[in-house]
Amino acid sequence: MTDYSPLLSTIPSIKHGFGNKSALLPELLLPYRATLPEKKQVHGVRIADIHHPAQVCGEADGFFTREPGILISVLTADCLPVIFSRHDGSAIAAVHAGWRGLLDGILEQMAQRINREDRTSHWVASIGPAAGSCCYEVSEELITRFQQALPLPPELISPHHHHLDLAAIAENKLRALGFAAVDHAGSCTICTPNTDPRLPQHFKYTSYRRNSHRRAADPHHPGIKGRNQYSGIIITS
Ligand SMILES: [Zn+2]
């Protein structure tokens, strides 16, 4: 089942969805696939302005458009997808934020882009499925970097020993940047089981982290590979 944001679902002129293993691109966005910008995500902080369907925009990890009929999306496995809409659905955006993007300020870049001609207080944001604090173990050094860089309580950044809470960090940043509302859709990409009995897979989402652990445990295991899932949004009218 595709994940939807309750917040974004209240805006009638847009469609959105967060994909998973069984539908990498959510079904209701499939008809718009050919309009997707051509891009390369590089864990950077560049935001591309999208004006034309299938626009070639090079290296970018954030996308912004006011044009109806152009699907924008980010591809993620364990990184954090964030999709945005103006409250009236007249402009939309999407961001790919892993730990590097969060540290380097991609959410701040998106807020700056919005504030160029508008205000983030007219916008809402939804944080999609990503590696959860239940599973996302990182080095002590990385936890310390976050704690030194961000004015947030240490237990919010790392609620368990060596575990990073990407979603909580993102939510706090988005609120501090003035977004009117923030919600969460989906769950941990590493441990969420598949609950649809019609589907053979064990887990709901593709996960780079889970696959690399399994590859490390069993390097000869065939077929352990993950394709990233899309988080997408489009203005339809
Ligand atoms: Zn988990």
Side-chain angles (χ1 to χ4, degrees):
M1 268 151 287
T2 303
D3 298 306
Y4 298 103
S5 150
L7 203 52
L8 296 173
S9 298
T10 63
I11 302 172
S13 57
I14 59 170
K15 284 185 188 173
H16 80 282
F18 297 93
N20 56 51
K21 245 179 152 167
S22 53
L24 294 175
L25 181 62
E27 202 169 323
L28 86 174
L29 301 177
L30 279 174
Y32 311 103
R33 183 172 211 138
T35 69
L36 276 172
E38 241 180 77
K39 47 122 194 276
K40 187 172 182 227
Q41 295 175 193
V42 290
H43 297 272
V45 296
R46 177 173 171 253
I47 313 288
D49 267 48
I50 306 299
H51 303 287
H52 313 289
Q55 184 174 319
V56 177
C57 49
E59 294 185 346
D61 290 85
F63 305 90
F64 177 100
T65 191
R66 300 183 174 283
E67 300 297 327
I70 303 176
L71 179 61
I72 57 173
S73 79
V74 288
L75 281 162
T76 59
D78 299 320
C79 286
L80 199 73
V82 187
I83 53 183
F84 302 80
S85 178
R86 198 173 196 277
H87 61 65
D88 60 2
S90 64
I92 54 173
V95 151
H96 160 244
W99 66 261
R100 197 180 296 276
L102 284 181
L103 262 187
D104 292 347
I106 189 157
L107 296 178
E108 287 79 356
Q109 290 296 318
M110 180 55 80
Q112 229 176 68
R113 171 64 194 87
I114 289 169
N115 285 329
R116 233 157 69 192
E117 67 233 4
D118 198 354
R119 281 171 181 278
T120 49
S121 59
H122 296 149
W123 284 64
V124 298
S126 182
I127 297 167
S133 63
C134 43
C135 297
Y136 194 43
E137 195 174 350
V138 300
S139 67
E140 181 73 47
E141 189 214 337
L142 187 57
I143 301 273
T144 307
R145 274 176 72 187
F146 269 93
Q147 289 171 346
Q148 287 170 348
L150 304 178
L152 296 173
E155 64 275 15
L156 185 147
I157 290 170
S158 178
H160 321 289
H161 188 59
H162 282 195
H163 283 214
L164 198 59
D165 195 336
L166 294 174
I169 294 165
E171 178 176 349
N172 267 271
K173 277 178 172 270
L174 292 166
R175 292 192 188 281
L177 290 165
F179 286 89
V182 181
D183 76 355
H184 297 261
S187 47
C188 176
T189 49
I190 300 176
C191 70
T192 305
N194 165 46
T195 53
D196 187 338
R198 294 165 302 173
L199 299 171
Q201 66 238 21
H202 200 66
F203 291 101
K204 177 171 179 178
Y205 301 102
T206 68
S207 163
Y208 178 79
R209 177 66 75 103
R210 188 181 62 236
N211 285 338
S212 56
H213 282 178
R214 285 171 63 199
R215 268 195 298 269
D218 180 5
H220 304 295
H221 195 296
I224 300 179
K225 59 179 170 53
R227 289 175 302 153
N228 295 348
Q229 49 236 340
Y230 292 85
S231 298
I233 184 163
I234 182 169
I235 304 171
T236 51
S237 56

PDB file of all heavy atoms in Angstrom, residues 134-135 188 191, ligand 1:
ATOM      1  N   CYS A 134      14.988   3.513  14.985  1.00  0.00           N
ATOM      2  CA  CYS A 134      15.049   2.131  15.468  1.00  0.00           C
ATOM      3  C   CYS A 134      16.237   1.375  14.872  1.00  0.00           C
ATOM      4  O   CYS A 134      16.791   0.472  15.499  1.00  0.00           O
ATOM      5  CB  CYS A 134      13.745   1.406  15.124  1.00  0.00           C
ATOM      6  SG  CYS A 134      13.127   1.747  13.452  1.00  0.00           S
ATOM      7  N   CYS A 135      16.605   1.722  13.636  1.00  0.00           N
ATOM      8  CA  CYS A 135      17.579   0.916  12.886  1.00  0.00           C
ATOM      9  C   CYS A 135      18.798   1.674  12.386  1.00  0.00           C
ATOM     10  O   CYS A 135      19.773   1.043  11.970  1.00  0.00           O
ATOM     11  CB  CYS A 135      16.910   0.323  11.645  1.00  0.00           C
ATOM     12  SG  CYS A 135      15.585  -0.815  12.006  1.00  0.00           S
ATOM     13  N   CYS A 188       9.771   2.996   8.903  1.00  0.00           N
ATOM     14  CA  CYS A 188      11.202   2.709   8.729  1.00  0.00           C
ATOM     15  C   CYS A 188      11.454   1.816   7.505  1.00  0.00           C
ATOM     16  O   CYS A 188      10.891   0.728   7.385  1.00  0.00           O
ATOM     17  CB  CYS A 188      11.742   2.041   9.987  1.00  0.00           C
ATOM     18  SG  CYS A 188      13.467   1.537   9.826  1.00  0.00           S
ATOM     19  N   CYS A 191      13.212  -1.832   8.614  1.00  0.00           N
ATOM     20  CA  CYS A 191      12.585  -2.940   9.350  1.00  0.00           C
ATOM     21  C   CYS A 191      11.083  -3.140   9.104  1.00  0.00           C
ATOM     22  O   CYS A 191      10.516  -4.111   9.597  1.00  0.00           O
ATOM     23  CB  CYS A 191      12.839  -2.796  10.848  1.00  0.00           C
ATOM     24  SG  CYS A 191      11.962  -1.424  11.621  1.00  0.00           S
TER      25      CYS A 191
HETATM   26 ZN    ZN B   1      13.562   0.234  11.851  1.00  0.00          ZN
END
